[in-house]
Amino acid sequence: RKEVEQDPGPFNVPEGATVAFNCTYSNSASQSFFWYRQDCRKEPKLLMSVYSSGNEDGRFTAQLNRASQYISLLIRDSKLSDSATYLCVVNISSGSARQLTFGSGTQLTVLP
Amino acid sequence: DAGVTQSPTHLIKTRGQHVTLRCSPISGHKSVSWYQQVLGQGPQFIFQYYEKEERGRGNFPDRFSARQFPNYSSELNVNALLLGDSALYLCASSFTPNTGELFFGEGSRLTVL
């Protein structure tokens, strides 16, 4: 079983739609959680951190359920510029370091 | 300010050869991590260095090695290249090793023939 699992998609949605991505992680010792965004043939960039109480950044809302080891990302009012691969990331402490473990990503295409 | 810079951006090697990839972190960042990204997959952790010391190592064979220099730049070395080493190698820097906010370079795309 992969440490971080995501639905690979692709998700093809019209502009203005709401879309949700899900992610599960296997290591209960995971300490912090993030969503990264990766445009085609570009480097990943941090989109937002995910907090236990849930958090929102504009059109983006992230949720964490530690009991179910489940993370979600909701995008409202999708824009063409939201087209990208969304990577679910967990941060596991290992000795003196924390290792970021990435999911395989969920591909989103927003259609005009 | 310059972001994370990596070199070379593209390279082609043959099986059995050796490769060295280089990374310069954002100014002020003392932690450098290396990731391998195979097409269609997320980045996979290889190494993390902080203050010139190895802080973490992923599940990669001993053919992979790295080091960090006094100016916090880093290099990743891969010996005895295999076809399966073909991937995008990403370097990321951060202020500290215990953060989820990594700043990635554009990567070095390695093709092994």
Side-chain angles (χ1 to χ4, degrees):
Chain A
R1 181 184 175 188
K2 290 184 179 179
E3 290 192 64
V4 180
E5 295 209 51
Q6 296 182 247
D7 180 344
F11 284 65
N12 298 317
V13 302
E15 268 187 292
T18 296
V19 61
F21 305 139
N22 303 319
C23 168
T24 57
Y25 60 95
S26 61
N27 191 331
S28 59
S30 300
Q31 297 175 326
S32 49
F33 310 88
F34 308 89
W35 285 99
Y36 273 70
R37 169 194 169 128
Q38 186 170 26
D39 292 333
C40 187
R41 303 189 72 80
K42 293 286 197 177
E43 73 275 20
K45 292 183 180 178
L46 178 66
L47 177 66
M48 60 194 301
S49 301
V50 186
Y51 302 116
S52 297
S53 56
N55 50 296
E56 194 172 298
D57 183 1
R59 298 181 293 107
F60 298 84
T61 301
Q63 297 278 354
L64 168 65
N65 184 322
R66 285 187 184 269
S68 302
Q69 296 183 197
Y70 171 93
I71 306 161
S72 66
L73 176 68
L74 183 77
I75 305 175
R76 293 181 301 278
D77 188 23
S78 299
K79 311 292 186 191
L80 295 177
S81 57
D82 294 334
S83 297
T85 295
Y86 290 83
L87 298 161
C88 176
V89 185
V90 304
N91 195 344
I92 302 170
S93 180
S94 174
S96 59
R98 288 192 183 178
Q99 175 180 323
L100 289 192
T101 300
F102 286 74
S104 295
T106 298
Q107 185 180 340
L108 171 67
T109 301
V110 181
L111 304 169
Chain B
D1 286 342
V4 177
T5 57
Q6 293 187 242
S7 63
T9 55
H10 296 81
L11 67 166
I12 299 173
K13 294 284 188 178
T14 57
R15 281 179 298 176
Q17 285 190 312
H18 162 271
V19 67
T20 297
L21 308 177
R22 295 179 175 84
C23 171
S24 293
I26 291 172
S27 177
H29 286 191
K30 298 181 178 180
S31 179
V32 169
S33 300
W34 287 95
Y35 286 80
Q36 180 195 65
Q37 187 172 25
V38 174
L39 194 62
Q41 299 294 316
Q44 188 173 358
F45 175 73
I46 310 176
F47 287 108
Q48 182 186 66
Y49 278 78
Y50 178 65
E51 292 281 17
K52 303 182 290 295
E53 291 188 1
E54 182 183 299
R55 285 294 195 97
R57 172 186 285 254
N59 188 23
F60 279 80
D62 292 343
R63 299 185 295 108
F64 289 76
S65 63
R67 55 179 173 165
Q68 187 177 34
F69 299 99
N71 66 354
Y72 304 111
S73 68
S74 177
E75 65 179 33
L76 175 70
N77 293 282
V78 187
N79 292 323
L81 285 167
L82 303 174
L83 296 179
D85 294 332
S86 296
L88 179 67
Y89 289 85
L90 293 161
C91 173
S93 76
S94 58
F95 281 112
T96 71
N98 297 324
T99 177
E101 185 173 16
L102 298 183
F103 296 83
F104 284 88
E106 294 187 352
S108 294
R109 189 167 298 279
L110 171 65
T111 301
V112 182
L113 302 176

